[in-house]
Amino acid sequence: MGEKRLPKHVAIILDGNRCWAKKRGLGTSKGHKAGARKLMENVKDCLPLCFLHRKLGKTRVNGLMFMFEEYLRSERHVFRREKLKISFIGNRTKIPQSLLGLIRETEEATKSYEGKHLIIAIDYSGKFDILQACKSLAKKAKNGLIQVEDIDEGMMDKELMTNCSEFPNPDLLIRTSGEQRISNFFLWQSAYSELYFTNVLWPDFGNAEYLDAFTWYQQR
Amino acid sequence: MGGGIRQLLEQVHRLSRRCLFRVLSMGPLPTHLAFIMDGNRRYAKKRGLEDGSGHKAGFSALMSMLQYCYELGIKYVTVYAFSIDNFRRKPEEVQSLMDLMLEKIKSLLDKESIVHEYGIRVYFIGNLGLLNDQVRAAAEEVMKATAKNSRVVLLVCVAYNSTDEIVQAVKRSCVEKADRDVERIQLVDIEENMQMSVAPEPDILIRSSGETRLSNFLLWQTGNSQLFSPDALWPEIGLRHLVWAILNFQRSHSYLEKKKKQL
């Protein structure tokens, strides 16, 4: 591939699990399982940094939460072996207690790992991220820690949920399954990201597809 | 004689456009279209012209595109005319861009301009304090002169970038809620303080010249917009690109409506 200009931070909108299942006459939970499996494969094989996004449909929340719990438990050894730091970003208020506990455990267990960082976005929205950053800054201003006039882009960067990362802004944002929109994923953070849209469904997105995306990125 | 033929051809074009637009109008149409007008300098280089001509050709392309949009019945059009990042270009280029902008902004006040033809209300969105006094004064004059127009709207983003717009909105929200519980700041508070709140969110964002980056344009507002990147450089953009974007919008619009009903 060549070391010339590989993205340091890749963000991915994992779209297409349900479509993939429908095409094969399977139930949607099989689609999500295939998607999760593909996620674990990709994490093992490549990226130094990877953002993932899971949009939550109202009717399918419980099944997805259960699946997350299952995978976090079963893939613990992978995180250890790959020395993968795991962080979660999103609105934690809607996540069930059992999953929340597991998330805290996983973050704690992997926090000292460096080099590879996987950030998983659950119930995340770009606008929500900016709002919570705004509230945090408003609180600091109220407590006299900062002046409102001094608020700038740098201060916002530090308050956004991506402040858990050394490289908060993705160089490359990939969305699978053909939709050509950001769907309120990273708004602030993708100001200068190269946007790559592909018709391939997420469970089919493997090494060859990554190669295509990175080759495309190198040509920008 | 030549002038007569030209007029006739223009009439024919207008008529065929009207037919085409009537067909397109049978499907859902976007309310708001946004454009990143990229590729003027590359266009000038490609044609071996001097730098400024690319931007002049870009302006003509913009006028045509606005005409098509408003003929089709699209109410809001937003264009990225000059980014805060562009101030970092060579001073001579920045100056010549400012001069061109001043000339074109003033021309919007002419009786024969597109503003009068379509009853356009014009907004200049951005950190206008960064512009020189003349350009800023001209922009403010156009906004004042068109304030009563209500048929269609043109938003020109100049000395703009989205993170700056968001920061200003955040600052205003902090000041507004300073005496009250800051926990009660909501999305709507930030939204109300955005300069772009005078328009709904864009349905489609088109960036010419094949680049697929937002380049800090309308980040807050394009969360759900469909994104298109035709390869054509901005001065080469034409009716076919607009029609293509709208057909794709109509195709995914019916899919989205179905999805919404399922939820």
Side-chain angles (χ1 to χ4, degrees), chain A residues 29-56:
Chain A
S29 60
K30 290 254 159 57
H32 290 309
K33 281 209 167 107
R37 229 175 305 137
K38 185 54 67 178
L39 167 58
M40 287 296 123
E41 277 170 31
N42 287 332
V43 152
K44 283 180 225 167
D45 295 332
C46 8
L47 310 160
L49 264 166
C50 182
F51 257 93
L52 302 136
H53 166 78
R54 190 63 223 141
K55 270 191 84 177
L56 299 178

Side-chain angles (χ1 to χ4, degrees), chain A:
Chain A
M1 174 97 245
E3 280 307 309
K4 152 181 105 146
R5 271 197 82 224
L6 277 180
K8 288 202 193 67
H9 175 175
V10 178
I12 309 185
I13 300 178
L14 318 172
D15 205 0
N17 290 340
R18 283 181 285 167
C19 232
W20 184 92
K22 198 171 175 184
K23 259 180 156 176
R24 286 160 174 72
L26 303 166
T28 53
S29 60
K30 290 254 159 57
H32 290 309
K33 281 209 167 107
R37 229 175 305 137
K38 185 54 67 178
L39 167 58
M40 287 296 123
E41 277 170 31
N42 287 332
V43 152
K44 283 180 225 167
D45 295 332
C46 8
L47 310 160
L49 264 166
C50 182
F51 257 93
L52 302 136
H53 166 78
R54 190 63 223 141
K55 270 191 84 177
L56 299 178
K58 294 189 195 125
T59 55
R60 284 170 269 275
V61 169
N62 292 332
L64 279 171
M65 295 298 173
F66 180 70
M67 200 197 62
F68 276 129
E69 278 188 62
E70 225 179 69
Y71 272 92
L72 279 182
R73 266 187 254 273
S74 64
E75 300 300 316
R76 251 193 281 226
H77 62 289
V78 175
F79 304 151
R80 249 194 316 260
R81 191 183 65 217
E82 301 292 323
K83 292 211 176 3
L84 195 58
K85 177 174 176 180
I86 310 274
S87 302
F88 288 88
I89 61 172
N91 184 0
R92 296 195 183 198
T93 61
K94 293 192 192 153
I95 295 179
Q97 279 305 317
S98 50
L99 179 55
L100 211 50
L102 200 52
I103 284 173
R104 286 199 202 109
E105 240 178 76
T106 312
E107 282 180 321
E108 187 61 34
T110 59
K111 70 178 183 196
S112 58
Y113 296 142
E114 288 173 2
K116 276 201 216 173
H117 191 178
L118 174 62
I119 305 177
I120 302 184
I122 300 184
D123 199 11
Y124 173 91
S125 100
K127 285 188 181 177
F128 173 77
D129 199 358
I130 292 170
L131 174 63
Q132 68 83 29
C134 172
K135 282 186 185 177
S136 173
L137 286 170
K139 219 185 220 169
K140 287 185 175 163
K142 192 167 181 191
N143 295 335
L145 295 167
I146 57 169
Q147 300 294 322
V148 173
E149 314 80 81
D150 295 337
I151 295 177
D152 61 12
E153 270 117 320
M155 277 200 198
M156 283 290 295
D157 277 330
K158 294 199 179 94
E159 299 294 336
L160 292 168
M161 291 179 185
T162 39
N163 59 14
C164 59
S165 162
E166 199 186 332
F167 305 106
N169 301 332
D171 304 293
L172 172 62
L173 189 149
I174 298 174
R175 181 174 187 152
T176 52
S177 112
E179 276 290 310
Q180 301 212 183
R181 53 186 102 225
I182 309 283
S183 294
N184 208 4
F185 181 28
F186 281 153
L187 300 181
W188 178 282
Q189 294 89 338
S190 58
Y192 299 101
S193 312
E194 297 288 347
L195 309 172
Y196 181 80
F197 300 105
T198 170
N199 288 333
V200 177
L201 304 173
W202 172 249
D204 296 326
F205 197 84
N207 284 341
E209 286 73 26
Y210 271 116
L211 196 62
D212 285 339
F214 289 168
T215 310
W216 176 88
Y217 173 79
Q218 286 188 333
Q219 288 162 0
R220 304 318 288 173

Side-chain angles (χ1 to χ4, degrees), chain B residues 228-244:
Chain B
F228 283 115
S229 323
D231 286 331
L233 303 172
W234 179 254
E236 296 165 346
I237 208 92
L239 183 59
R240 64 195 184 287
H241 302 105
L242 178 66
V243 171
W244 181 245

Side-chain angles (χ1 to χ4, degrees), chain B residues 9-238:
Chain B
L9 274 175
E10 226 187 86
Q11 293 285 42
V12 170
H13 281 153
R14 238 182 228 250
L15 195 61
S16 35
R17 254 198 332 263
R18 214 187 293 176
C19 291
L20 172 61
F21 289 166
R22 200 160 284 179
V23 171
L24 278 181
S25 313
M26 291 189 197
L29 287 177
T31 309
H32 184 175
L33 230 58
F35 293 97
I36 299 180
M37 308 186 287
D38 199 8
N40 291 337
R41 289 185 297 177
R42 266 170 283 174
Y43 176 85
K45 204 168 177 185
K46 200 170 146 181
R47 303 261 153 136
L49 306 165
E50 53 174 56
D51 272 342
S53 333
H55 294 299
K56 289 202 176 99
F59 183 78
S60 301
L62 171 61
M63 289 298 114
S64 303
M65 196 49 76
L66 286 179
Q67 186 181 6
Y68 303 148
C69 287
Y70 296 136
E71 271 177 17
L72 186 49
I74 293 171
K75 177 145 188 203
Y76 296 89
V77 177
T78 301
V79 297
Y80 203 6
F82 192 88
S83 152
I84 294 181
D85 301 336
N86 293 150
F87 278 116
R88 285 189 248 141
R89 289 187 183 172
K90 288 197 277 250
E92 313 84 62
E93 191 190 341
V94 173
Q95 187 54 50
S96 96
L97 273 168
M98 289 294 141
D99 291 341
L100 179 67
M101 264 202 289
L102 182 61
E103 180 195 322
K104 299 304 178 189
I105 291 176
K106 283 185 169 166
S107 74
L108 291 178
L109 291 169
D110 294 341
K111 285 205 182 60
E112 311 84 40
S113 85
I114 195 174
V115 161
H116 287 95
E117 190 178 347
Y118 293 100
I120 307 178
R121 178 165 189 178
V122 183
Y123 288 96
F124 287 91
I125 307 273
N127 199 337
L128 302 186
L130 295 173
L131 296 168
N132 70 44
D133 292 338
Q134 286 180 301
V135 177
R136 188 173 53 253
E140 280 163 4
E141 197 185 336
V142 169
M143 284 199 277
K144 196 167 161 199
T146 61
K148 293 209 172 65
N149 294 347
S150 57
R151 264 179 64 201
V152 290
V153 183
L154 171 64
L155 303 107
V156 183
C157 291
V158 62
Y160 173 91
N161 76 32
S162 195
T163 45
D164 180 68
E165 187 196 6
I166 294 172
V167 164
Q168 302 310 326
V170 162
K171 277 163 127 167
R172 280 184 218 119
S173 307
C174 288
V175 165
E176 272 170 17
K177 302 284 181 179
D179 300 327
R180 284 162 275 173
D181 185 6
V182 296
E183 280 300 313
R184 288 171 64 195
I185 298 179
Q186 293 182 326
L187 273 181
V188 66
D189 298 311
I190 300 183
E191 234 141 36
E192 274 170 1
N193 282 312
M194 291 281 205
Q195 280 193 291
M196 282 294 296
S197 64
V198 293
E201 295 184 342
D203 301 288
I204 308 177
L205 169 61
I206 299 177
R207 179 175 188 150
S208 55
S209 90
E211 299 293 335
T212 49
R213 290 185 303 277
L214 296 170
S215 291
N216 211 342
F217 180 56
L218 302 186
L219 301 173
W220 179 275
Q221 295 86 351
T222 53
N224 289 307
S225 312
Q226 227 179 338
L227 308 171
F228 283 115
S229 323
D231 286 331
L233 303 172
W234 179 254
E236 296 165 346
I237 208 92

